[in-house]
Amino acid sequence: MAQQRALPQSKETLLQSYNKRLKDDVKSIMDNFTEIIKTAKIEDETQVSRATQGEQDNYEMHVRAANIVRAGESLMKLVSDLKQFLILNDFPSVNEAIDQRNQQLRALQEECDRKLIALRDEISIDLYELEEEYYSSRERDGEAGSPLRREPEAGLDPRTPGS
């Protein structure tokens, strides 16, 4: 109830109208159902014939059943309106859901960052070991025989552009 008092006047009025619709529809269902039960009882003495009374009762039951269905549909519409009202006006829970999702995504980001750093460190170690192996094999084989190291062709110095 304290939460309703904090609502603006338009929202308060809307909630009161929802409450009135609920009470009216439930009362309509109860009244019509009670009248259908009363109509189902057979009276001994009436001023109209039994066939006429039966037709009148049948028509009244159909009308009251239609009223019950209308009230039920109105209640379903009310539930839909309440859901929409809750979705559109329940900012604290929407904000809480957004905050929870943000926390989940931040945790996922931190986990990905940790995995990337670990992968970078592993690759760095492996690259260092490969470089060590490569350079130590060049020293063993001699630099002149290395296929990666070629001597410049005669007359061309690779250090001077355009020569």
Side-chain angles (χ1 to χ4, degrees):
M1 289 293 173
Q3 185 182 14
Q4 285 184 348
R5 290 189 184 116
L7 293 174
Q9 186 64 31
S10 63
K11 291 180 184 176
E12 183 72 28
T13 305
L14 186 60
L15 289 175
Q16 287 174 352
S17 74
Y18 288 159
N19 197 17
K20 183 180 181 329
R21 280 173 52 190
L22 174 67
K23 288 179 181 179
D24 290 346
D25 289 338
V26 170
K27 184 179 183 312
S28 174
I29 290 173
M30 288 297 296
D31 291 345
N32 284 300
F33 189 74
T34 303
E35 290 301 318
I36 287 175
I37 298 298
K38 286 180 186 177
T39 306
K41 293 180 183 175
I42 299 175
E43 296 179 13
D44 292 331
E45 298 282 328
T46 60
Q47 293 180 347
V48 293
S49 69
R50 284 195 186 271
T52 306
Q53 184 65 40
E55 285 299 316
Q56 182 181 351
D57 291 346
N58 186 25
Y59 177 71
E60 183 179 347
M61 285 184 186
H62 278 85
V63 169
R64 293 197 179 275
N67 287 340
I68 290 173
V69 169
R70 182 208 52 79
E73 289 174 346
S74 178
L75 285 173
M76 289 173 43
K77 173 72 171 125
L78 177 63
V79 168
S80 174
D81 290 347
L82 285 170
K83 286 179 182 178
Q84 183 178 8
F85 177 82
L86 184 64
I87 290 170
L88 294 177
N89 295 307
D90 192 15
F91 296 117
S93 67
V94 170
N95 288 339
E96 182 180 336
I98 290 172
D99 289 342
Q100 287 177 351
R101 184 65 178 154
N102 280 342
Q103 288 174 354
Q104 289 172 345
L105 293 175
R106 282 191 184 113
L108 180 63
Q109 179 185 7
E110 289 173 5
E111 180 183 346
C112 288
D113 287 346
R114 282 192 301 271
K115 287 180 179 179
L116 285 172
I117 289 171
L119 184 62
R120 180 199 65 192
D121 293 343
E122 286 179 30
I123 289 174
S124 175
I125 291 169
D126 291 342
L127 182 61
Y128 179 77
E129 290 173 356
L130 287 171
E131 286 176 344
E132 286 293 316
E133 180 67 27
Y134 172 74
Y135 289 121
S136 67
S137 69
R138 284 185 67 199
E139 289 173 4
R140 248 184 283 139
D141 294 340
E143 288 193 27
S146 174
L148 296 177
R149 173 111 171 136
R150 290 193 325 199
E151 294 297 322
E153 294 183 20
L156 296 176
D157 186 2
R159 288 171 280 171
T160 56
S163 58

